[in-house]
Amino acid sequence: MCGGSGRLRRAAVVVGLAVGVLLAGCSGGGDASDTDPAKPGAAESGAEAKGDGGPVRSPSATPGLDWTPDDSRLPRTRAQALRLAREVAAEPRRWGSGYVKRSPYESDPDSLAVLDEDCVWQREPLPPSVLTSFTRYSELPAKGGRGPIRIAATVVVHREAADADWEMARTLEEALRCPEQRLSGSERITGLLSAGLPLGVGNSASDDVISEHGEYHSDELGGPHYYVWGQNRLGQITVSVVGKGSKGHTQEEIDTAVHEGTGAMLVDIQAELEASE
């Protein structure tokens, strides 16, 4: 995907994401917590779980998206799903110049973050409907009187597209249920606003998009600072990115990094799974 068509497709992805952020509204929002790996979504869906190697419903080409997934390349086992997630989860260079790995750099792919009834993020074992949930943590280090920008990217591979669709629906409701969320013992979000964009409604990048904004508070970095989170779905796969600001950084700076990295991951997923022409 290094040719001209890949560059054009990436541009379309970034435009679609930017529209999603604008529609979601703006609020003021960086230690990336293990319980907040880009909010990978709901636990068990209502779809029937299947064992590794079992049949997976193949998503058809989505009208309006410039790609066609190849059924033979879709992940069907945990090993296949983790290989794909590791291949496409954004590394520091994807976010821009100067970004480095955080410690820990990668999450446990056999667990995912779930928002509990008290609006606190907890890590739980993977439900049967999820093949893997993999996160990489990056940051732009503090420098010259400015604090860090911290970004986490999560790739969740579900057994079926219906499972991923259910995750999107549950996630969209979470901001309504919990406009204030606890990420860890030292981090929280307030004033959370959320919006969903199906394909064709300000979104030409993926099957569905969810965008959230809020104010980020940290014992280490103070606040409120700018907080942005976005999630895109391509078939059975969701890609989530969270950006946490701190002193001296603008909303535009953080949004730009999040959009560029997310767009790159969506392009990489298409390159991994699309049918040969």
Side-chain angles (χ1 to χ4, degrees):
M1 299 299 297
C2 298
S5 61
R7 289 193 295 270
L8 289 173
R9 186 177 299 168
R10 182 171 303 175
V13 166
V14 174
V15 169
L17 292 169
V19 172
V21 168
L22 290 173
L23 290 180
C26 298
S27 302
D31 187 5
S33 113
D34 279 346
T35 56
D36 166 48
K39 292 169 51 173
E44 183 113 32
S45 79
E48 180 182 357
K50 297 177 174 60
D52 280 357
V56 177
R57 184 173 60 217
S58 172
S60 59
T62 304
L65 288 180
D66 184 23
W67 79 300
T68 301
D70 184 340
D71 179 70
S72 68
R73 302 177 73 173
L74 296 175
R76 291 175 165 79
T77 67
R78 292 192 187 277
Q80 291 170 347
L82 182 56
R83 186 208 67 79
L84 174 67
R86 288 185 179 278
E87 189 67 28
V88 303
E91 300 173 347
R93 63 184 177 83
R94 290 295 201 184
W95 311 114
S97 176
Y99 279 83
V100 299
K101 296 178 180 179
R102 293 208 63 210
S103 181
Y105 175 51
E106 297 179 344
S107 71
D108 174 7
D110 292 324
S111 67
L112 81 168
V114 176
L115 191 64
D116 69 17
E117 293 302 316
D118 296 321
C119 300
V120 178
W121 285 94
Q122 309 283 353
R123 291 208 71 87
E124 295 184 359
L126 294 180
S129 60
V130 176
L131 290 172
T132 196
S133 174
F134 180 71
T135 302
R136 284 192 173 126
Y137 304 95
S138 303
E139 76 172 359
L140 183 66
K143 183 178 181 181
R146 301 201 301 171
I149 295 176
R150 290 171 175 166
I151 296 182
T154 296
V155 179
V156 178
V157 182
H158 298 262
R159 292 188 183 276
E160 296 194 13
D163 299 323
D165 194 30
W166 180 255
E167 176 195 334
M168 298 290 285
R170 282 282 299 272
T171 302
L172 188 58
E173 294 174 354
E174 287 174 344
L176 298 176
R177 177 171 68 88
C178 297
E180 181 170 336
Q181 300 176 5
R182 176 68 63 174
L183 305 182
S184 69
S186 62
E187 299 176 296
R188 62 189 177 93
I189 310 166
T190 60
L192 198 61
L193 298 174
S194 179
L197 297 172
L199 181 66
V201 182
N203 162 34
S204 60
S206 54
D207 296 296
D208 295 292
V209 176
I210 300 173
S211 179
E212 296 182 355
H213 294 75
E215 294 183 331
Y216 172 70
H217 306 260
S218 162
D219 290 352
E220 175 192 359
L221 301 172
H225 301 300
Y226 180 62
Y227 175 92
V228 61
W229 173 87
Q231 179 166 284
N232 287 252
R233 179 177 72 86
L234 284 173
Q236 73 190 89
I237 302 164
T238 61
V239 171
S240 307
V241 176
V242 61
K244 302 174 184 177
S246 63
K247 178 183 176 181
H249 294 288
T250 66
Q251 172 181 333
E252 181 180 6
E253 181 182 7
I254 298 166
D255 282 343
T256 297
V258 168
H259 299 163
E260 288 292 335
T262 303
M265 286 192 289
L266 293 176
V267 169
D268 288 346
I269 290 172
Q270 293 178 18
E272 286 288 322
L273 299 181
E274 70 182 351
S276 301
E277 297 181 357

